[in-house]
């Protein structure tokens, strides 16, 4: 029997396949918006009351469990208890366990290491699935309060914002007509590992789940079956950790005396762009830049942090600098009024890293057929090109296409060492894509699949989020819906039309379709021989997990009626 869904609790046992996701998501969204509005109005008492309501909210538990067991990339990564949740029955048990009113004992995180771009290893702390679900619940209560406070220079790990917003912010400050030509390219030494617990807990104040956050911070970690205590830092890998890092680094603009106009443009001698613990400070003169480093050293010390001396530097815009994989630099340009023009290109390091990966992929594909090569390489090409398409990347894309062409030739010659060049080219290269005249496209003769090219991804400028706009602001719902339509360009024409007809919303759960979940093209007509099956009016785009629920509900109804479903 399905639980009776309430705003502050549950009765009975949960039935995962029968959950009304539209209702659950609406309750959580409305509570987040009420917390945001109360925080914006400065009514702290109301904020705390609403946060308590969110922490007790059954719908918040449902949404959080779905997030950590079905959506997040690490859903099948276990913590120290080696428990993962894959089945509806296991999710039912997790929800019912979370809803029990009892004091929780936090588990230590499991320490794992992933490679960094510089060859070193980055330590991650993986909480148990139960702790992750609790962290997602706590985040829904804490995040809206701070979304009402965060500065517009902060772009990392925030709803509706990302790397592209940070890059466009950097570009806007790098224009040749701007007066801030000196940049402090700063790097914080082990930011996530060294944040002061006392400072963070004081910043959170009287938040109702402060005791839980304190336990997560002090839980320690297990590395190679040995327990280690944690006296500082917030573990990378936790659901709530990025939010806590943003809270710790909040108010940097005030510390540097940055003032803004009503429209949001900075009018002071300094301007900041921050993506989590990576940030840049644009300054009028080198002297101001040097003073900025001194001011920030004091400010960071209060938070238990410090600069990495070998990576923190002061550069002029004409020298250029790397940020989030891009290189930003003022180039000489005769057509510009000032004789200078800012260009945002993929950095040399990013291009070399991609080449190294592609070279290894081609090497590992020895002995495989063309279809396997296309299947493995296409996502890499599309993902990289879609990330860098917002910059001046056309020249880089053409260069990478030539690199891929040479690698595909090497692969083909190695596969067919005894065949002539004419025979090899006739096997793999032709104008596979009919809309283009390019005859040198690598493809598979058996399936007709072909390898996409970097240059086929068109350059498209990203529009930065306006000011301090937040997804939790109920007055900006239409603004955020319009922004979602910008993400449709990476989909097929049919899928773009389907999602546009649905206003970017999933008809099953009512959530935004482009929220990171896998999508499924759902046909309302089950008969595959029906000619009307493929028409847009008979198709719906839903989340993959929503489609599973639709099928299971259909099986239940069919079973009750003694029938069957396709």
């Amino acid at each position: 029997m399905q639980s009776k869904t309430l705003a502050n609790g549950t009765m009975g046992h949960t039935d995962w396949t029968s959950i009304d996701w539209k209702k659950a998501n609406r309750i959580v969204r409305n509570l987040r918006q009420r917390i945001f509005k109360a925080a914006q109005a400065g009514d702290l008492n109301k904020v705390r009351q609403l946060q308590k309501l969110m922490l007790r909210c059954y719908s918040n538990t449902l949404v959080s469990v779905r997030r950590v067991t079905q959506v997040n990339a690490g859903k099948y990564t276990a913590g120290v208890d080696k428990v993962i949740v894959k089945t509806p029955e296991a999710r039912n048990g997790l929800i019912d366990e979370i809803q029990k009113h009892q004091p929780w004992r936090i588990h230590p995180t499991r320490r794992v290491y992933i490679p960094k771009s510089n060859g070193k290893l980055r330590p991650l702390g993986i909480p148990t699935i139960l702790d992750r679900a609790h962290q997602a619940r706590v985040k829904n209560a804490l995040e809206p309060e701070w979304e009402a406070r965060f500065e517009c220079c902060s772009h990392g790990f925030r709803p509706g914002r990302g790397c592209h917003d940070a890059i466009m912010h950097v570009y806007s400050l790098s224009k040749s007509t701007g007066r801030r030509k000196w940049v402090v390219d700063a790097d914080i030494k082990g930011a996530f590992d060294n944040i002061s617990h006392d400072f963070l807990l004081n910043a959170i104040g009287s938040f109702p789940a402060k005791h839980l956050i304190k336990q997560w911070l002090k839980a320690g970690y297990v590395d190679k079956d040995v327990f280690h205590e944690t006296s500082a830092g917030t573990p990378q890998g936790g659901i709530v950790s990025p939010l806590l890092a943003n809270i710790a680094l909040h108010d940097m603009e005030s510390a540097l005396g940055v003032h803004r106009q009503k429209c949001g443009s900075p009018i002071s001698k300094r301007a900041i762009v921050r993506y989590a613990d990576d940030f840049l400070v644009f300054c009028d003169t080198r002297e101001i830049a040097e003073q900025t480093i001194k001011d920030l050293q004091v400010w960071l010390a209060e938070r238990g942090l410090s600069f990495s001396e070998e990576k923190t530097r002061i550069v002029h815009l004409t020298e250029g600098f790397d940020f989030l994989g891009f290189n930003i630099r003022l180039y000489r340009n005769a057509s510009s009024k000032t004789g200078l023009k800012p260009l945002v290109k993929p950095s040399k390091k990013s291009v070399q890293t991609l080449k190294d990966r592609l070279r290894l992929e081609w090497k590992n594909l020895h002995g495989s057929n063309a279809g396997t090569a296309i299947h493995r390489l296409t996502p890499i090409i599309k993902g990289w090109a879609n990330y860098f398409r917002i910059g001046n990347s056309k020249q880089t894309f053409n260069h990478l296409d030539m690199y891929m062409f040479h690698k595909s030739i090497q692969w083909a010659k190695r596969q067919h060492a005894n065949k002539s060049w004419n025979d090899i080219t006739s096997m793999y290269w032709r104008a596979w894509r009919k809309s283009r005249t390019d005859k040198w496209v690598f493809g598979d003769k058996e399936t007709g699949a072909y390898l996409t090219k970097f240059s086929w991804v068109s350059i498209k400028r990203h529009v930065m989020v306006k000011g301090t706009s937040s997804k939790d602001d109920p007055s900006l719902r239409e603004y955020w819906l319009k922004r979602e339509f910008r993400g449709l360009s990476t989909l097929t024409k049919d899928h773009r039309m389907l999602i546009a007809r649905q206003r970017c919303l999933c008809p099953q759960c009512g959530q935004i379709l482009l929220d990171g979940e896998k999508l499924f093209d759902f046909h309302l007509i089950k008969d595959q021989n029906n000619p009307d099956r493929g028409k847009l009016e008979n198709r719906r785009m839903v989340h993959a997990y929503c489609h599973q629920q639709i099928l299971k509900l259909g099986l239940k109804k069919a079973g009750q009626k003694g029938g069957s479903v396709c």
Side-chain angles (χ1 to χ4, degrees):
M1 184 180 71
Q2 182 186 357
S3 303
K4 183 179 179 181
T5 306
L6 303 172
N8 61 349
T10 178
M11 296 172 62
H13 297 286
T14 304
D15 180 3
W16 185 261
T17 58
S18 301
I19 293 170
D20 186 346
W21 287 109
K22 276 189 179 179
K23 184 175 182 181
N25 286 318
R26 185 179 66 250
I27 290 172
V28 173
R29 182 174 61 250
N30 289 345
L31 271 175
R32 283 184 63 111
Q33 290 175 351
R34 290 173 67 190
I35 294 169
F36 177 88
K37 288 177 68 176
Q40 210 173 35
D43 190 347
L44 188 59
N45 288 333
K46 188 174 182 181
V47 168
R48 296 296 181 241
Q49 291 172 5
L50 291 169
Q51 286 173 333
K52 289 176 182 177
L53 188 61
M54 177 70 89
L55 292 168
R56 296 195 302 268
C57 178
Y58 178 60
S59 295
N60 184 23
T61 301
L62 296 177
V63 171
S64 299
V65 169
R66 177 172 178 171
R67 174 64 56 183
V68 301
T69 62
Q70 287 188 326
V71 180
N72 287 353
K75 55 184 177 288
Y76 298 140
T77 305
V80 293
D81 59 355
K82 300 181 181 180
V83 172
I84 56 175
V85 174
K86 290 185 176 181
T87 64
E89 293 74 20
R91 295 185 188 102
N92 293 339
L94 181 61
I95 290 167
D96 294 336
E97 184 176 1
I98 289 172
Q99 285 301 111
K100 292 177 183 177
H101 295 284
Q102 62 182 35
W104 294 103
R105 181 180 177 274
I106 306 300
H107 296 87
T109 60
R110 180 170 68 89
R111 178 58 58 92
V112 296
Y113 298 90
I114 60 172
K116 296 170 68 174
S117 57
N118 59 6
K120 296 181 180 179
L121 295 176
R122 184 190 305 278
L124 296 183
I126 309 300
T128 63
I129 197 72
L130 180 60
D131 285 337
R132 271 178 268 171
H134 276 300
Q135 288 187 19
R137 294 172 68 245
V138 169
K139 185 180 179 183
N140 275 334
L142 182 61
E143 190 172 52
E145 176 192 354
W146 285 89
E147 276 294 305
R149 300 187 194 181
F150 283 147
E151 302 153 326
C152 61
C153 69
S154 173
H155 302 285
F157 305 111
R158 293 183 59 191
R161 296 173 185 259
C163 297
H164 288 172
D165 294 286
I167 292 299
M168 287 297 100
H169 195 174
V170 171
Y171 174 74
S172 68
L173 293 171
S174 302
K175 290 180 178 178
S176 58
T177 53
R179 68 176 193 267
R180 307 178 193 89
K181 296 289 195 296
W182 292 92
V183 181
V184 177
D185 184 5
D187 184 88
I188 300 175
K189 187 188 295 183
F192 280 86
D193 299 326
N194 296 308
I195 293 174
S196 168
H197 289 172
D198 291 337
F199 179 88
L200 196 52
L201 293 170
N202 287 334
I204 292 169
S206 57
F207 177 63
K210 183 177 179 178
H211 63 288
L212 276 177
I213 293 176
K214 184 176 181 179
Q215 287 186 61
W216 285 319
L217 294 174
K218 304 289 187 183
Y221 64 91
V222 175
D223 187 9
K224 297 178 181 177
D225 296 326
V226 178
F227 174 77
H228 301 267
E229 294 184 351
T230 48
S231 57
T234 175
Q236 295 185 66
I239 302 292
V240 78
S241 295
L243 173 60
L244 296 178
N246 273 334
I247 291 172
L249 295 172
H250 174 62
D251 223 21
M252 188 181 289
E253 285 195 337
S254 299
L256 294 180
V258 176
H259 303 290
R260 295 183 176 273
Q261 297 174 336
K262 289 184 178 179
C263 63
S265 301
I267 55 175
S268 52
K269 295 180 180 180
R270 294 162 170 162
I272 303 172
V273 180
R274 184 170 67 83
Y275 187 89
D277 59 328
D278 295 328
F279 64 91
L280 305 167
V281 184
F282 290 76
C283 306
D284 280 9
T285 64
R286 185 178 181 89
E287 290 72 23
I288 295 176
E290 290 171 350
Q291 184 60 43
T292 297
I293 292 178
K294 294 178 182 177
D295 294 341
L296 286 176
Q297 283 175 337
V298 177
W299 186 81
L300 289 171
E302 297 174 358
R303 291 152 175 78
L305 303 173
S306 62
F307 283 126
S308 173
E309 294 183 5
E310 60 274 13
K311 294 182 181 180
T312 300
R313 62 194 186 115
I314 298 172
V315 296
H316 195 270
L317 278 174
T318 54
E319 300 174 50
F321 55 89
D322 293 348
F323 187 63
L324 300 180
F326 288 86
N327 178 265
I328 301 93
R329 182 181 169 189
L330 276 180
Y331 289 84
R332 295 194 179 279
N333 186 280
S335 61
S336 174
K337 290 182 180 180
T338 60
L340 296 169
K341 183 178 181 180
L343 294 182
V344 179
K345 301 179 180 181
S347 68
K348 291 181 180 179
K349 186 177 180 181
S350 298
V351 174
Q352 189 57 51
T353 301
L354 176 67
K355 283 183 175 181
D356 293 342
R357 182 181 180 187
L358 291 172
R359 182 171 60 251
L360 183 61
E361 290 289 345
W362 278 114
K363 184 178 179 181
N364 293 336
L365 285 166
H366 177 59
S368 302
N369 57 28
T372 302
I374 292 166
H375 177 73
R376 193 178 298 179
L377 293 169
T378 297
I380 299 173
I381 295 170
K382 286 185 175 180
W384 200 91
N386 282 326
Y387 179 77
F388 287 100
R389 71 186 300 184
I390 68 164
N392 307 95
S393 306
K394 202 66 181 176
Q395 187 177 353
T396 304
F397 286 175
N398 290 333
H399 169 73
L400 288 170
D401 282 337
M402 187 58 66
Y403 178 82
M404 287 294 286
F405 178 63
H406 290 306
K407 284 296 172 186
S408 60
I409 289 175
Q410 291 175 8
W411 176 86
K413 285 184 174 180
R414 194 176 180 185
Q415 296 290 102
H416 309 282
N418 298 324
K419 290 190 176 182
S420 68
W421 170 241
N422 288 337
D423 289 340
I424 292 173
T425 54
S426 64
M427 288 177 64
Y428 296 112
W429 283 277
R430 65 184 68 174
W432 292 101
R433 187 168 178 176
K434 302 303 180 185
S435 60
R436 293 183 176 269
T437 57
D438 189 350
K439 296 180 181 179
W440 291 97
V441 179
F442 181 84
D444 182 17
K445 194 160 52 176
E446 293 183 7
T447 62
Y450 54 84
L451 189 62
T452 190
K453 291 191 173 185
F454 289 92
S455 57
W456 291 352
V457 178
S458 59
I459 302 299
K460 185 176 182 181
R461 306 300 179 196
H462 179 79
V463 179
M464 188 173 63
V465 173
K466 192 182 297 181
T468 57
S469 301
S470 171
K471 274 196 166 185
D472 290 314
D473 190 341
S475 65
L476 297 177
R477 180 168 174 78
E478 288 301 317
Y479 169 78
W480 287 105
L481 273 176
K482 287 179 181 177
R483 286 191 65 86
E484 294 297 334
F485 281 89
R486 299 180 186 277
L488 298 181
S489 58
T490 58
L491 304 176
T492 63
K493 183 179 178 181
D494 276 6
H495 287 173
R496 287 200 301 268
M497 293 176 67
L498 269 177
I499 294 176
R501 282 166 62 96
Q502 297 171 199
R503 298 189 74 235
C504 281
L505 299 175
C506 174
Q508 181 68 12
C509 67
Q511 287 294 91
I512 297 293
L513 280 166
L514 304 177
D515 61 353
E517 288 197 46
K518 292 180 181 178
L519 301 182
F520 190 87
D521 189 349
F522 176 53
H523 294 261
L524 298 179
I525 298 175
K526 301 299 179 186
D527 183 7
Q528 296 188 7
N529 297 320
N530 192 320
D532 295 331
R533 185 174 187 262
K535 292 182 179 179
L536 288 179
E537 57 265 27
N538 295 322
R539 292 161 60 189
R540 297 290 185 272
M541 187 65 77
V542 297
H543 294 120
Y545 298 114
C546 289
H547 179 248
Q548 291 178 12
Q549 185 183 44
I550 292 170
L551 291 179
K552 287 172 182 175
L553 288 173
L555 286 169
K556 278 188 176 182
K557 291 178 181 178
Q560 291 170 359
K561 294 178 181 179
S564 63
V565 295
C566 296

